[in-house]
Amino acid sequence: MNQTTPPQNLALPVGVTLDRYIIRKQSAFPFATGELSQLLRDIALAGKIINREINRAGLIDVVGGFGAQNVQGENQQKLDVIANIRFIRALKNGGEVCALISEEDEEIIFTGNDHGKYVVAMDPLDGSSNIDVNVSIGTIFSIYRRITPTGTRATLDDFMQGGRKQVAAGYILYGSSTMLVYTTGHGVSGFTYDHSLGEFFLSHAELTSPDNGTIYSCNDGNFNQYPETVRDYLATCRERGYTGRYIGSLVADFHRNLIKGGMYLYPPIPKAPSGKLRLLYECYPLAFIAEQAGGSACDGYRSILDIEPTHLHQRTPLYIGAKGMVEELLSRF
Ligand code: AHG
Ligand code: MN
Ligand code: MN
């Protein structure tokens, strides 16, 4: 042993756990009663369980199609269904949520906890086409404080408050490492999962988007169907020698762009005239995070967070990422 090594350096601190961080930051929450802290911890627990299922997916019989379609008419993968069950169960057992909506269910899911103060909108597993091929996938969640009285059944109104009323939002990225990123409206924090300890540790205390970027992320196969404005913008990106990167998992593409500087685009196309992505559980939460990180998100005309919600599974075009890129595109519309 090197005699000059101070003994404490032989056992460096492991860092701040998500639980401890949430409790520490609780006073900054809009309603500092501890229930939102507990809800975030429930989501993190479901994330750990899903992470486990994903990691051993090839070993147990959970890859492939489930043989049914979800409300969007998309083929459900077994892991879509498993993640949905895990999240619903975690939120029911947690007790803080009175109702939730999910990409996988057409109607509102009531937890039976009418005294819960929160409602959650979620995409339990994002990036379905990547599930079977060991490519990054994610979970997206959005949290509102209910506006109907506690003790009564939640209603559609609780979910139709609009993006600016989110009290917290986040995502879990099951990637080369598993990360949980969330905001409660006071900046964005990122945590990395330590498998051996079974804990998320603070790894990105203050996630901020670069003001501008040189990465564009879209499905190039749809290029000819994009609006002319978007095609022109992408042609400019190519002329400038920007980098094209598209994983096909929104969470993963968004996360990379957040760290490195870039923009994700899902414009309207003839087969998806309102875009493909869902407002309540894909676009609102990521737009909240983008804005909190100093980035931007719009549908081509206005901020995503200013879109008025009309139904649970509504879609919107999405342009999200570094402010400079989103604004340049917007200025061309
Ligand atoms: P989901 O798996 O939850 O249905 O979402 C898939 C979304 C998004 O994650 C991804 O960026 C996009 O669909 C990919 O769509 P294309 O295959 O049309 O490019
Ligand atoms: Mn999705
Ligand atoms: Mn999904």
Side-chain angles (χ1 to χ4, degrees), residues 140-316:
I140 312 174
F141 60 90
S142 163
I143 303 174
Y144 299 86
R145 197 168 161 94
R146 68 185 297 182
I147 49 173
T148 49
T150 49
T152 65
R153 247 184 134 179
T155 72
L156 189 62
D157 292 345
D158 292 311
F159 294 95
M160 294 288 132
Q161 299 185 45
R164 301 254 173 232
K165 289 283 164 62
Q166 294 174 98
V167 294
Y171 59 83
I172 303 168
L173 170 61
Y174 313 99
S176 48
S177 60
T178 295
M179 278 194 71
L180 187 150
V181 173
Y182 80 92
T183 183
T184 56
H186 301 271
V188 181
S189 313
F191 300 80
T192 301
Y193 186 58
D194 182 327
H195 292 250
S196 61
L197 295 172
E199 293 275 12
F200 285 101
F201 286 95
L202 182 66
S203 52
H204 300 68
E206 210 35 58
L207 268 170
T208 51
S209 168
D211 291 337
N212 222 323
T214 56
I215 300 172
Y216 59 95
S217 312
C218 59
N219 184 338
D220 189 66
N222 293 333
F223 183 90
N224 290 341
Q225 299 165 49
Y226 288 161
E228 197 180 348
T229 317
V230 177
R231 292 203 308 267
D232 288 349
Y233 174 77
L234 290 171
T236 306
C237 292
R238 290 170 179 176
E239 277 157 27
R240 290 177 186 160
Y242 283 11
T243 297
R245 287 281 183 275
Y246 190 64
I247 295 167
S249 293
L250 171 62
V251 169
D253 281 307
F254 175 82
H255 184 75
R256 182 208 45 247
N257 293 344
L258 177 62
I259 305 281
K260 294 195 164 185
M263 173 167 61
Y264 174 99
L265 311 85
Y266 212 110
I269 50 176
K271 72 172 178 206
S274 303
K276 178 183 182 189
L277 298 167
R278 278 58 57 109
L279 179 65
L280 268 70
Y281 41 82
E282 291 180 317
C283 301
Y284 273 163
L286 295 187
F288 189 18
I289 291 171
E291 288 198 5
Q292 282 295 316
S296 202
C298 75
D299 67 352
Y301 301 97
R302 66 212 134 154
S303 165
I304 291 287
L305 294 178
D306 291 328
I307 298 175
E308 194 146 332
T310 52
H311 55 277
L312 291 180
H313 298 284
Q314 92 190 63
R315 297 172 191 262
T316 174

Side-chain angles (χ1 to χ4, degrees), residues 107-129:
E107 306 290 346
I108 297 173
I109 302 153
F110 297 97
T111 59
N113 307 319
D114 284 347
H115 287 278
K117 292 189 178 131
Y118 295 93
V119 298
V120 170
M122 65 171 183
D123 178 354
L125 213 51
D126 170 69
S128 297
S129 67

